[in-house]
Amino acid sequence: MKNYKADVVIIGGGLSGITTALEIVENQPNKKILIIERGLKENFGGLAKKSFGGVFFTGSKEQKRLGIKDSPELAWMDWLSFAEFEPDDEYGKMWAKQFVYGNIDYVYYWLKSKGIRFFPVVHWVERGLFTPGNSVPRFHMIWGTGYELIRVLLQHLEKYEQSIEILFRCKVDDIWLDSNLKKVTGCSGIHLDTNEPFEVHTNIIVVSAGGITGNPELVKKYWGYQHHSKDSKIPKILLNGSILEADGSLHFILEKKGIPLHKLHRQWNYAAGVHHPNPKFDGEGLSLVPAKSALWVNAYGERIGNPPLVSAYDTLYLVREIVKQPGAYSWHIMNYKIALKELAVSGAEFNEGIRDKKIFQFLLTILFGNKKLVHTLMNSCIDFITANSLEDLVKKMNELQDEYKTDYQTLKDTILRYDSMIQRGKKFFNDDQLRRIMHLRQYRGDRIRTLKFQRILDKSAFPLIAIRLHILTRKTLGGVITNLKSQVMNNQNQPIEGLYAVGETAGFGGGGIHGYRALEGTFLGSCIFTGRIAAKDILKKI
């Protein structure tokens, strides 16, 4: 048995845990901090390190420079509209308001003080479909993606290596609480590579272990509660867009001790997942940024949705409509010209120009398309199909499908109906997807990446491309209930002395600051926000 002692123990080395450690050590450099991380050293930073790096801000300098008039009051109205909070979301709602009004001071200026910079064009996502979403653009891309965010924060953390010990490949299997669930006294676990057990004696533990979406079986367990529909089907193929360590194990350790968990069925999964061409684990997926000019159809070749599916408005609507379809998956039908201009992957790995801060390379992909990405996926991803005729495309689609088959005439009629409307001219458009493309192109951040009414069966834009899209797990919106100091609440609705939960473990604050929908960019921001708030309370006690 190996024994450790520390003033503060942080379980999980994701963004919220790193932020908590950095905030504490910068203010109390003589205190001992122990970080326990299940993953490998090269993966330190968790899912944030793999992310696109978009952060939600209200009233930033970048917004003002673009003439975007935003305010916390407007953002709070949007948040309440999108979240659809329920009466028992008391703590989540309080956290949401605290975040909306505090993200500039607690996150924006803090990141800038660490050396993080943002792309000058603010992106506009989750605009809302049946209910208002983001009224204005708020999605600020970190120049360097989430990879740069973690690199910079770890660089600051390394200055205090005398005060911080990090245990990699170690799993916590118990958190010690007194019998009344009033205070924490330590934790225990195992070194995964040697099977050597360990114990840690401490009065302060911060749980920063992610959510449950790294475990697709748990996602399936909560599926029916998430989608509220008898027509909702559990996908046969459910890709993992999270990390394996986010398996919910610490959530259920706490639950067994009597600590309530809040609405783990609320999850933020994505509609456009494909198999990773070079997976690091079984079922690993990539989240595509769907092409706006592509047609979204089901396994039979029928167009999905009323209104038809278009990304950037309501991600939950996309997922809910797709899981009603045969097989609970979908197809994206486009041509090479559309793919080159509009297709992207959400994450650091396939965005080298942004990730490596190569401005010339990045601008070339914006102006002329990301040819390297499109060709890599066409040649290496099993979900990508290409053909020089619709007949051949349908034949190859059906070779990839088992139970369901695409009907050639159905798909042809679907495409021709759309294409013929484009040919008749803009004043005769009577299709919601075309209206939304017009809407998207009004904002320059979208115009540069969205084609101007491109027909699918345009032979000059061939080959045709069909992408089989699967639901991809990503974030858990529910979690451990915390008060406004990030303290974990017990079953008597009292804070447990010395026990904190931050980031995704706490549903990004209070057991769920998002309700049912996220305004996007709010995940990274609230990880930092909850981490800093936890640290400020801890600093009063050590």
Side-chain angles (χ1 to χ4, degrees):
M1 176 73 69
K2 198 153 188 176
N3 285 280
Y4 300 90
K5 283 188 176 181
D7 295 297
V8 180
V9 173
I10 297 172
I11 305 173
L15 175 59
S16 55
I18 290 169
T19 299
T20 307
L22 185 57
E23 186 77 9
I24 293 170
V25 78
E26 285 182 335
N27 288 277
Q28 290 277 10
N30 296 322
K31 298 297 181 180
K32 175 70 180 296
I33 298 175
L34 179 67
I35 301 176
I36 304 173
E37 166 57 39
R38 277 175 63 183
L40 298 166
K41 185 176 182 179
E42 56 263 36
N43 296 330
F44 195 32
L47 191 58
K49 189 175 183 179
K50 299 167 62 177
S51 73
F52 217 162
V55 193
F56 172 102
F57 294 123
T58 56
S60 70
K61 291 181 179 179
E62 288 77 11
Q63 285 177 307
K64 292 172 183 175
R65 195 178 299 123
L66 294 169
I68 298 169
K69 296 178 181 179
D70 197 9
S71 68
E73 290 76 19
L74 179 60
W76 182 232
M77 286 176 58
D78 294 344
W79 197 295
L80 289 175
S81 166
F82 224 46
E84 296 183 358
F85 283 124
E86 295 169 326
D88 59 346
D89 289 325
E90 178 187 0
Y91 282 106
K93 191 174 179 180
M94 288 191 298
W95 266 100
K97 190 168 188 177
Q98 185 172 241
F99 174 71
V100 167
Y101 280 84
N103 64 81
I104 286 290
D105 289 335
Y106 268 77
V107 183
Y108 179 77
Y109 286 115
W110 187 78
L111 286 175
K112 288 210 164 186
S113 74
K114 302 298 181 210
I116 295 295
R117 297 295 176 261
F118 299 96
F119 190 68
V121 177
V122 183
H123 293 274
W124 195 359
V125 293
E126 295 303 303
R127 303 179 184 203
L129 192 59
F130 301 112
T131 184
N134 279 312
S135 295
V136 295
R138 298 186 174 116
F139 192 83
H140 297 65
M141 286 294 304
I142 292 172
W143 183 233
T145 71
Y147 181 88
E148 173 72 358
L149 170 63
I150 296 299
R151 186 194 70 79
V152 168
L153 295 186
L154 291 182
Q155 198 173 53
H156 285 281
L157 206 61
E158 287 168 3
K159 300 173 187 175
Y160 303 94
E161 57 184 9
Q162 299 297 324
S163 304
I164 297 175
E165 184 176 3
I166 306 172
L167 303 179
F168 291 105
R169 296 283 297 147
C170 287
K171 180 181 180 181
V172 171
D173 55 25
D174 195 15
I175 294 175
W176 305 338
L177 303 173
D178 70 351
S179 58
N180 296 319
L181 298 182
K182 289 188 176 180
K183 66 179 180 178
V184 69
T185 58
C187 63
S188 61
I190 190 168
H191 292 268
L192 294 172
D193 293 329
T194 63
N195 287 325
E196 180 184 15
F198 68 83
E199 292 183 348
V200 187
H201 297 268
T202 184
N203 293 320
I204 296 178
I205 290 178
V206 182
V207 185
S208 170
I212 70 168
T213 52
N215 185 340
E217 293 308 309
L218 269 179
V219 174
K220 291 178 181 179
K221 176 183 175 181
Y222 291 106
W223 195 262
Y225 300 100
Q226 164 74 356
H227 296 285
H228 300 302
S229 172
K230 294 179 181 178
D231 297 327
S232 175
K233 305 173 182 68
I234 298 175
K236 184 178 180 180
I237 298 176
L238 186 62
L239 295 179
N240 191 340
S242 183
I243 55 176
L244 292 177
E245 290 79 16
D247 63 358
S249 56
L250 278 169
H251 285 80
F252 298 112
I253 286 170
L254 293 174
E255 186 182 45
K256 284 180 181 178
K257 292 181 178 294
I259 294 173
L261 302 179
H262 191 67
K263 300 184 179 179
L264 293 182
H265 65 272
R266 290 181 180 170
Q267 296 156 22
W268 196 243
N269 301 317
Y270 289 136
V274 295
H275 288 85
H276 197 297
N278 299 297
K280 297 179 180 63
F281 54 85
D282 288 344
E284 183 180 11
L286 290 175
S287 178
L288 298 186
V289 178
K292 309 294 191 300
S293 299
L295 290 183
W296 224 316
V297 303
N298 66 16
Y300 296 142
E302 301 163 334
R303 207 164 172 199
I304 302 173
N306 184 22
L309 306 189
V310 183
S311 64
Y313 289 92
D314 188 335
T315 295
L316 186 58
Y317 171 75
L318 300 179
V319 174
R320 284 180 170 174
E321 287 300 306
I322 288 167
V323 297
K324 295 176 185 176
Q325 306 304 315
Y329 65 92
S330 61
W331 287 95
H332 231 195
I333 308 297
M334 67 190 79
N335 53 46
Y336 181 73
K337 183 178 179 180
I338 293 172
L340 198 61
K341 185 71 170 177
E342 299 185 6
L343 197 64
V345 171
S346 177
E349 184 179 1
F350 288 90
N351 291 284
E352 297 97 329
I354 308 175
R355 184 194 65 209
D356 301 333
K357 297 191 289 187
K358 295 178 178 178
I359 186 65
F360 184 67
Q361 180 181 343
F362 171 66
L363 290 175
L364 283 178
T365 63
I366 292 293
L367 294 172
F368 302 107
N370 194 338
K371 188 177 291 188
K372 179 181 177 182
L373 168 67
V374 173
H375 283 259
T376 297
L377 294 175
M378 285 170 58
N379 295 327
S380 305
C381 179
I382 62 171
D383 296 306
F384 273 67
I385 291 172
T386 62
N388 284 311
S389 71
L390 186 59
E391 293 92 337
D392 285 344
L393 191 76
V394 170
K395 181 181 177 182
K396 291 179 180 180
M397 289 168 65
N398 286 331
E399 288 172 356
L400 198 59
Q401 301 182 103
D402 296 324
E403 186 176 354
Y404 307 99
K405 298 298 180 183
T406 301
D407 179 72
Y408 166 73
Q409 193 61 47
T410 298
L411 182 57
K412 182 180 178 181
D413 291 345
T414 299
I415 296 172
L416 287 176
R417 191 175 299 116
Y418 180 79
D419 281 1
S420 63
M421 193 170 299
I422 293 176
Q423 284 182 306
R424 286 195 293 273
K426 188 160 52 173
K427 62 184 176 181
F428 298 113
F429 285 177
N430 192 24
D431 183 278
D432 201 65
Q433 182 166 347
L434 293 173
R435 294 189 193 103
R436 293 195 180 278
I437 288 173
M438 283 193 284
H439 179 224
L440 289 160
R441 285 179 54 83
Q442 289 174 8
Y443 179 60
R444 68 175 183 173
D446 291 306
R447 184 168 59 247
I448 197 169
R449 295 300 302 268
T450 307
L451 288 169
K452 189 177 181 180
F453 316 122
Q454 173 61 48
R455 290 183 296 115
I456 307 294
L457 297 179
D458 174 4
K459 291 192 176 181
S460 68
F462 276 24
L464 290 169
I465 299 174
I467 308 171
R468 184 178 59 171
L469 299 176
H470 308 282
I471 304 301
L472 177 126
T473 68
R474 199 65 161 193
K475 303 287 186 188
T476 312
L477 301 186
V480 177
I481 300 171
T482 56
N483 65 12
L484 291 180
K485 297 178 181 179
S486 289
Q487 294 174 293
V488 174
M489 306 300 284
N490 65 18
N491 52 15
Q492 301 299 313
N493 200 30
Q494 296 296 317
I496 299 172
E497 185 180 340
L499 184 61
Y500 298 80
V502 294
E504 193 174 355
T505 300
F508 302 95
I513 71 170
H514 297 97
Y516 278 99
R517 289 183 187 83
L519 288 172
E520 282 289 13
T522 53
F523 303 119
L524 297 181
S526 56
C527 281
I528 295 167
F529 192 75
T530 54
R532 290 198 70 203
I533 284 178
K536 287 187 179 299
D537 195 62
I538 291 167
L539 285 165
K540 298 174 185 176
K541 301 174 180 179
I542 58 175

